[in-house]
Amino acid sequence: MDQAQGLREMAPQSSRNSEKGPGGPTAGRHRVISFTSGKGGVGKTNVVTSLAQLAIRQGQRVLVMDADLGLANIDVLLGVRPKRTLQDVIDGKVGIRDVLIEGPGGVTFLPGGSGVSELTNLETAQKLALIDAINECGEAFDTLLVDTGAGISPNVLYFNQAAAEVVTVVTPEPTSIADAYGLIKVLHQKGRKGPVYVLVNMARNASEANHVFQRLALAADRFLGLELVNLGWLPQDSRLESAVRQQKALVDLYPRSKAASRLQQITDHLVAMPQPDISGESGMVRFWSHLLDERGTGQLGFSF
């Protein structure tokens, strides 16, 4: 039994019951999807906030976590100012619900805070309390969208390894493609299981977007034996910059734009996908258990 499994067994029964429906366990109830990229500047955070709003309009209960430690910017994009973060919950200063912020479009936002990097150093009692708090919070949400940083730093790998599903955002720039492949390769080498979706952003047309995906897909298949999933593409749109300046989501400010239309298609596609059954665990429990598992390198939340 690994430590993460032990923590789950030790967690209060009431928390584990939150993963069950009237007919027993519902593995697809809680879903955790991380959004990542090989390099910065690819529009990842804009994608996350827009997809969150569109999913909410479809009746999904969505929580967005800013896991870009040190460079967190979802609060700026949403025009909100968090006074508390997850670190305050860990320190016992406030409850998890006191940290959550509701932003535009009904998006609920969980500020990660710099303390997340210290999750693996918590005492067992703190870990159990955090799992219980997250499970309690999780009852109010169907989906957790995790906005990670860019690159292959320990924190980026940390969150992507824990999430059941990973969306890699890439642009047609050669450096973006190369860095995206590098990220996918490292995750694969670390033993990550589960699907890796590719979303091509800032493409001039469908042909260019397909070319970008094929380059990544062929390389992943040939050198890693890994099959990537094409989540779709988004066009270049000058109105996105305007939306960022006004701290509004593109889908709110320009709902009839081509980019907003394609964002809706991507949301529909993502929502319709079944949650992968990686370990028989519900997504929310698996995610937090892996984050709190200090085995492996002693530095990351991986289980090798």
Side-chain angles (χ1 to χ4, degrees):
M1 180 182 296
D2 63 20
Q3 185 191 50
Q5 178 66 27
L7 287 170
R8 290 190 291 277
E9 294 299 327
M10 293 168 64
Q13 184 67 36
S14 61
S15 294
R16 297 200 302 271
N17 285 343
S18 70
E19 300 296 332
K20 300 180 181 180
T26 54
R29 179 180 177 185
H30 288 153
R31 191 171 184 182
V32 179
I33 308 171
S34 68
F35 288 77
T36 192
S37 61
K39 68 184 293 291
V42 300
K44 172 174 51 63
T45 299
N46 290 293
V47 169
V48 173
T49 54
S50 290
L51 291 181
Q53 291 196 28
L54 292 172
I56 288 171
R57 294 176 190 177
Q58 294 186 12
Q60 298 291 309
R61 301 177 303 168
V62 180
L63 173 63
V64 176
M65 177 181 180
D66 193 340
D68 189 356
L69 308 181
L71 293 173
N73 57 8
I74 286 184
D75 54 334
V76 176
L77 195 63
L78 295 179
V80 297
R81 294 182 178 275
K83 297 180 180 179
R84 301 283 191 177
T85 70
L86 188 59
Q87 181 63 47
D88 294 301
V89 178
I90 295 172
D91 293 340
K93 297 179 181 178
V94 295
I96 189 79
R97 297 182 184 276
D98 298 318
V99 174
L100 301 181
I101 299 174
E102 184 171 338
V107 175
T108 303
F109 165 51
L110 173 61
S114 60
V116 176
S117 62
E118 302 171 0
L119 284 179
T120 56
N121 297 323
L122 300 181
E123 298 294 332
T124 299
Q126 291 177 299
K127 293 180 180 182
L128 292 174
L130 182 55
I131 286 180
D132 196 28
I134 293 299
N135 279 337
E136 176 187 355
C137 170
E139 294 182 25
F141 301 97
D142 303 304
T143 304
L144 171 63
L145 302 183
V146 183
D147 182 25
T148 78
I152 56 173
S153 70
N155 279 323
V156 173
L157 299 177
Y158 185 66
F159 286 101
N160 286 319
Q161 194 77 351
E165 300 167 85
V166 172
V167 176
T168 302
V169 181
V170 60
T171 70
E173 293 181 6
T175 53
S176 177
I177 298 171
D179 290 347
Y181 175 75
L183 171 61
I184 293 169
K185 178 181 178 179
V186 172
L187 286 172
H188 180 71
Q189 291 175 336
K190 294 294 185 181
R192 189 201 129 68
K193 298 179 181 178
V196 176
Y197 310 135
V198 174
L199 193 162
V200 180
N201 194 19
M202 304 181 192
R204 289 176 295 183
N205 49 52
S207 177
E208 182 177 58
N210 185 62
H211 177 69
V212 171
F213 173 76
Q214 289 301 326
R215 285 185 62 182
L216 279 174
L218 289 173
D221 179 59
R222 179 178 179 183
F223 300 110
L224 307 177
L226 180 64
E227 183 178 356
L228 303 182
V229 180
N230 191 350
L231 190 60
W233 67 281
L234 296 170
Q236 288 180 326
D237 196 327
S238 59
R239 284 170 290 193
L240 177 59
E241 183 178 348
S242 173
V244 171
R245 286 199 303 268
Q246 298 182 58
Q247 295 180 299
K248 300 283 186 180
L250 178 73
V251 294
D252 273 344
L253 203 56
Y254 303 107
R256 297 183 179 180
S257 65
K258 184 177 180 181
S261 176
R262 295 211 61 86
L263 278 164
Q264 182 65 66
Q265 293 177 27
I266 291 171
T267 303
D268 294 342
H269 189 190
L270 195 58
V271 169
M273 287 180 174
Q275 177 181 325
D277 184 9
I278 297 176
S279 60
E281 303 168 317
S282 181
M284 199 76 78
V285 171
R286 179 186 184 277
F287 178 74
W288 289 103
S289 296
H290 276 247
L291 285 183
L292 297 174
D293 184 2
E294 58 186 290
R295 296 198 321 140
T297 65
Q299 193 175 24
L300 306 178
F302 301 165
S303 291
F304 298 123

